[in-house]
Amino acid sequence: LTFPLLSVTLLVSFGSSMLYGYNLAVVNSPTVHIKAFYNTTWSQRYGHGLAPGPLTLLYSLTVSIFALGGLVGCLLVGVLVERYGRNGTLTRSALFILVAGGFMGFSRDLGSPEMLIIGRSITGLHSGICLSMVPLYLGEISPKNLRGFLGLMPSIFICLGVFFAQVLGLPELLGNDRFWPLFLSVVVIPASLQLLLLHCFPESPRYLLIEKNDICGATKALHRFLGTPDVQDVIEEMKEEQQSLSSVEMVSVWQLLRDRSVRWQTLSVVVVNAGMQLSGIDAIWFYTNTIFENAGIPVSQIPYTTVGTGAIEVVAGLIGCFTIEKLGRRPLIITGFCAMGVCSAGITVSLLLQTDLPWMRYVSVVCVVGIIAGFCMGPAGVPFLMTAELFTQSHRPAAYIVGGSLNWLCNFTVGFIFPFLQMSAGAFCYLVFCGICLLVALYVYLIIPETKNKTFMEISHIFA
């Protein structure tokens, strides 16, 4: 593990992945203040406030528009990566956050809910690009024995982003009526740092050699990342992959879906990425305070309870990162989904029994913590790492578009529908998430092989 390799991993994780986690959780604390802002603005414009139903709809749109922006960003990945490369795309994507921060930061001063919604959609656009691009870049620059460790580093920063949003969202800090626009717009700081520093690091050696046929550039990049003059073995492995793909152009999404030789890899990406979002984790992150309020936690204690869950998820992410190379990918992701499924059922039981047993409210908190910890240990980062590992260079960008599109579509679905599902089904809505988690865990156990310490070509041969 060299200094340049660790530095670039920390930089892109801090400047991109952390922002995804932050923007997932940032709308949780200022919910009341944002709704009040919408109501006040509506009264000033039309002479009357918003009814509860339309207000919930407008706020749900504010929360879930982030995922629609992410879907658009994910669909742009193929075009951007072909034109600018991995490093270049990540550098340029930081500009979106600077624009979005301006929109959200000045939305209240200008009396414009539309600016807030547009800003949220642009942050989603940035996250859609980076959520695919960061693991793609790190997967290609990492030696195979460090691919799991470095590949899960972004998931730790996603957890850190959620935790920072929970801490800054405390009423004593930025989670109050005065500072919530600043709370939404502080994302410009990590993005600015990435914009300034990322160009100091080389492009992906695999991209340079296999796609651009730039052997000299790839060799220099490997020297920098690996810190050794002897990189001939890695160059030969890349040339072998390039030769095997010499008659294959970069495939499109449609070609990937029709290619029978990679159908199980594609199906695996679909199942794991869709399952990651339909597991209910976004419902937990978007609406943590509402869930705790329904569980009977005193309102004054909810912000601090939420921060406590954030601290636990960071610890869980660190455990996953440091154990993935010992335990492998499959055990982490299976254990994570099983834990989430059991804890989702536990929330249902605790909510149903809390009227008779007041102490059951704390069981709800434990179950929420269990869902978050289970997610951060495996499902948070392994699906993106596996997408890089299951495909060769020609299919990889299209695979990220497929996985990312499903990821964001399911993210939007959960974020938009969950408040209404909660109102109609009550405590039983969590049983849906329980069933999905257990089915995904069963699929991974039966179908997906272990990919630890294997080259991309070896993994491809296992599936074949």
Side-chain angles (χ1 to χ4, degrees):
L1 183 62
T2 62
F3 181 74
L5 199 55
L6 182 61
S7 299
V8 75
T9 302
L10 293 174
L11 179 61
V12 297
S13 298
F14 176 73
S16 294
S17 302
M18 191 179 75
L19 300 189
Y20 169 66
Y22 186 89
N23 286 311
L24 277 177
V26 73
V27 289
N28 182 42
S29 300
T31 300
V32 175
H33 308 305
I34 294 174
K35 285 184 175 180
F37 165 58
Y38 285 170
N39 222 359
T40 302
T41 306
W42 199 270
S43 297
Q44 292 172 348
R45 290 182 182 180
Y46 305 107
H48 61 86
L50 281 162
L55 183 59
T56 300
L57 181 65
L58 187 59
Y59 183 73
S60 294
L61 178 64
T62 306
V63 171
S64 54
I65 197 74
F66 173 73
L68 284 186
L71 176 61
V72 175
C74 174
L75 295 174
L76 291 175
V77 164
V79 176
L80 293 173
V81 77
E82 186 177 341
R83 183 167 183 178
Y84 300 114
R86 279 65 165 155
N87 185 299
T89 299
L90 283 171
T91 303
R92 289 167 174 80
S93 68
L95 296 171
F96 288 122
I97 287 293
L98 304 186
V99 174
F103 271 96
M104 295 187 295
F106 293 105
S107 59
R108 186 179 62 181
D109 293 338
L110 298 177
S112 175
E114 296 84 357
M115 288 179 65
L116 177 55
I117 293 172
I118 291 170
R120 282 282 294 169
S121 67
I122 296 174
T123 59
L125 181 68
H126 169 267
S127 291
I129 294 169
C130 295
L131 207 59
S132 295
M133 197 53 57
V134 170
L136 178 62
Y137 182 49
L138 296 182
E140 291 185 357
I141 67 174
S142 305
K144 64 182 180 180
N145 62 310
L146 291 174
R147 209 161 55 219
F149 172 72
L150 296 180
L152 275 197
M153 193 73 74
S155 70
I156 293 177
F157 277 82
I158 291 173
C159 298
L160 278 171
V162 173
F163 178 64
F164 287 149
Q166 292 166 342
V167 172
L168 292 177
L170 291 172
E172 297 86 351
L173 298 177
L174 301 181
N176 51 53
D177 188 52
R178 181 182 178 186
F179 291 120
W180 67 259
L182 176 63
F183 180 39
L184 297 178
S185 59
V186 295
V187 289
V188 300
I189 298 172
S192 300
L193 190 65
Q194 178 172 293
L195 186 65
L196 289 172
L197 298 180
L198 188 55
H199 66 86
C200 300
F201 294 93
E203 182 55 85
S204 159
R206 304 189 79 86
Y207 169 77
L208 292 172
L209 193 149
I210 297 175
E211 295 185 34
K212 296 299 181 182
N213 203 30
D214 183 1
I215 298 176
C216 181
T219 304
K220 289 180 180 178
L222 285 170
H223 286 322
R224 179 86 185 279
F225 283 133
L226 302 184
T228 175
D230 184 17
V231 295
Q232 194 57 39
D233 289 346
V234 186
I235 292 290
E236 291 302 323
E237 188 250 314
M238 291 184 192
K239 285 183 177 178
E240 180 185 346
E241 184 174 344
Q242 183 189 40
Q243 187 174 1
S244 70
L245 300 174
S246 58
S247 59
V248 182
E249 296 182 357
M250 299 299 291
V251 303
S252 65
V253 171
W254 180 241
Q255 289 170 324
L256 175 71
L257 296 176
R258 294 183 62 189
D259 190 343
R260 294 175 63 86
S261 67
V262 293
R263 61 183 174 182
W264 281 108
Q265 291 97 311
T266 305
L267 181 60
S268 299
V269 166
V270 167
V271 169
V272 175
N273 278 276
M276 180 171 64
Q277 298 300 335
L278 295 177
S279 65
I281 188 64
D282 286 317
I284 299 293
W285 275 336
F286 286 151
Y287 302 106
T288 307
N289 288 10
T290 305
I291 292 169
F292 285 158
E293 188 176 341
N294 292 339
I297 303 298
V299 175
S300 60
Q301 296 179 14
I302 287 176
Y304 307 98
T305 308
T306 303
V307 169
T309 64
I312 290 171
E313 71 188 78
V314 174
V315 174
L318 286 169
I319 292 172
C321 185
F322 285 102
T323 58
I324 187 168
E325 291 301 349
K326 290 185 177 180
L327 300 179
R329 283 63 161 151
R330 291 175 76 251
L332 278 183
I333 200 167
I334 292 170
T335 304
F337 273 115
C338 286
M340 294 171 74
V342 171
C343 290
S344 294
I347 291 180
T348 298
V349 173
S350 63
L351 290 177
L352 290 174
L353 296 179
Q354 72 176 31
T355 51
D356 300 322
L357 303 168
W359 56 269
M360 289 298 286
R361 70 182 65 173
Y362 299 106
V363 176
S364 296
V365 175
V366 172
C367 289
V368 167
V369 169
I371 291 172
I372 293 174
F375 179 79
C376 292
M377 281 185 66
V382 174
F384 303 110
L385 172 63
M386 288 174 64
T387 304
E389 292 185 330
L390 297 185
F391 294 90
T392 54
Q393 195 82 7
S394 59
H395 292 69
R396 203 170 289 135
Y400 269 106
I401 292 174
V402 170
S405 299
L406 276 167
N407 195 309
W408 287 107
L409 276 173
C410 296
N411 185 311
F412 172 79
T413 302
V414 172
F416 190 77
I417 291 177
F418 180 73
F420 303 99
L421 181 65
Q422 199 175 36
M423 285 190 289
S424 60
F428 293 101
C429 66
Y430 298 98
L431 292 180
V432 177
F433 303 136
C434 171
I436 291 170
C437 288
L438 296 180
L439 286 173
V440 174
L442 181 63
Y443 177 89
V444 174
Y445 177 77
L446 295 175
I447 301 297
I448 300 180
E450 182 56 67
T451 57
K452 181 178 71 171
N453 284 340
K454 293 180 174 66
T455 67
F456 297 125
M457 292 299 294
E458 288 170 345
I459 296 166
S460 181
H461 291 152
I462 292 173
F463 269 99

